């Protein structure tokens, strides 16, 4: 299992502060504008590499989610005692655990669209063979992450069932796109 180093708390606070520095020049940042700032300045740091290194280690994801929640709370002017669901429903920002797994499924869609002679396509086939043999692989990690959506992160109590990954989801880019739709439906049902 691969774990990545958490973002340094000071760097995370600096990212948020720099994003809101414009507030001294304009009176208020609306949730729409705040989402644009988030997607441009904070989100790239939180999703970097998520297509390849999946969130199998839940504690690493919690540290990244803390940064996202802190940004949303500051954007809406809410305290740390408020519930978390309004942060995402009011800003329109997807919870990080879903955003990262959706990007991974988009990468799966890309891999499935490649010709069989491409190295990345061969790597996906090898990963599927390893997963079929119940060995550690990217495909097995994707299945574990999707199974863990019901217990991973802040909104665990709001998502009663995990997203099921079927072997057919690896058959074509269309099937992978349908997997992405099921993940989005699970996210919206949780909110």
């Amino acid at each position: 299992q691969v774990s990545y180093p958490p973002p340094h708390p000071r760097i995370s606070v600096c990212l948020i502060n720099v994003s809101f520095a414009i507030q001294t020049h304009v009176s208020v940042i609306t949730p729409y504008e705040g989402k644009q700032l988030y997607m441009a300045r904070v989100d790239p740091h939180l999703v970097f590499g998520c297509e390849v290194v999946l969130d199998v280690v839940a504690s690493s994801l919690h540290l990244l989610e803390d940064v996202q929640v802190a940004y949303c709370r500051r954007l809406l002017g809410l305290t740390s005692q408020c519930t978390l669901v309004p942060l995402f429903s009011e800003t329109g920002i997807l919870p990080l655990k879903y955003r990262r797994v959706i990007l991974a499924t988009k990468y799966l869609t890309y891999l499935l669209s490649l010709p069989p002679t491409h190295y990345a396509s061969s790597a996906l086939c090898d990963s599927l063979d390893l997963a079929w043999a119940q060995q550690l692989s990217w495909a097995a990690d994707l299945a574990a992450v999707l199974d863990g959506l019901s217990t991973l992160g802040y909104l665990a109590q709001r998502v009663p069932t995990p997203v099921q990954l079927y072997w057919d989801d690896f058959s074509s880019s269309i099937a992978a796109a349908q997997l992405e739709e099921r993940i989005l439906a699970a996210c919206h049902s949780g909110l």
Side-chain angles (χ1 to χ4, degrees), residues 68 85 88-89 92-102 149 155 158-163 179-191:
Q68 183 186 43
V85 174
F88 303 110
S89 62
I93 296 173
L94 282 177
L96 193 59
K97 65 179 177 177
Y98 288 102
R99 173 103 169 99
R100 290 174 64 90
V101 76
I102 285 171
L149 281 179
L155 301 178
R158 303 282 299 169
V159 185
T161 57
V163 177
L179 171 64
E180 181 184 335
E181 290 173 13
R182 292 198 313 266
I183 296 167
L184 275 172
C187 176
H188 293 305
S189 72
L191 296 177

Side-chain angles (χ1 to χ4, degrees), residues 65-155:
E65 285 177 321
D66 288 342
V67 175
Q68 183 186 43
V69 167
Y71 182 91
C72 291
R73 281 187 173 143
R74 177 143 181 213
L75 174 63
L76 297 174
L78 299 173
T79 65
S80 60
Q81 284 77 32
C82 77
T83 59
L84 296 170
V85 174
L87 298 178
F88 303 110
S89 62
E90 294 299 317
T91 60
I93 296 173
L94 282 177
L96 193 59
K97 65 179 177 177
Y98 288 102
R99 173 103 169 99
R100 290 174 64 90
V101 76
I102 285 171
L103 289 173
T105 56
K106 286 181 187 283
Y107 182 60
L108 173 63
T109 303
Y110 164 73
L111 291 175
L112 290 169
S113 70
L114 294 174
T117 57
H118 198 280
Y119 285 128
S121 179
S122 298
L124 176 63
C125 289
D126 289 345
S127 177
L128 290 170
D129 289 342
L130 286 169
W132 186 257
Q134 298 189 355
Q135 300 294 317
L136 294 177
S137 69
W138 183 85
D141 285 350
L142 181 60
V145 168
L146 290 173
D147 188 48
L149 281 179
S150 62
T151 58
L152 191 61
Y154 290 116
L155 301 178

Side-chain angles (χ1 to χ4, degrees), residues 37-77:
L37 279 172
Y38 171 82
M39 295 305 286
R41 308 231 10 156
V42 179
D43 188 65
H45 296 279
L46 300 180
V47 299
F48 179 76
C50 68
E51 303 90 357
V52 180
V53 181
L54 300 173
D55 299 316
V56 179
V57 179
S59 60
S60 296
L61 181 61
H62 290 311
L63 295 169
L64 296 173
E65 285 177 321
D66 288 342
V67 175
Q68 183 186 43
V69 167
Y71 182 91
C72 291
R73 281 187 173 143
R74 177 143 181 213
L75 174 63
L76 297 174

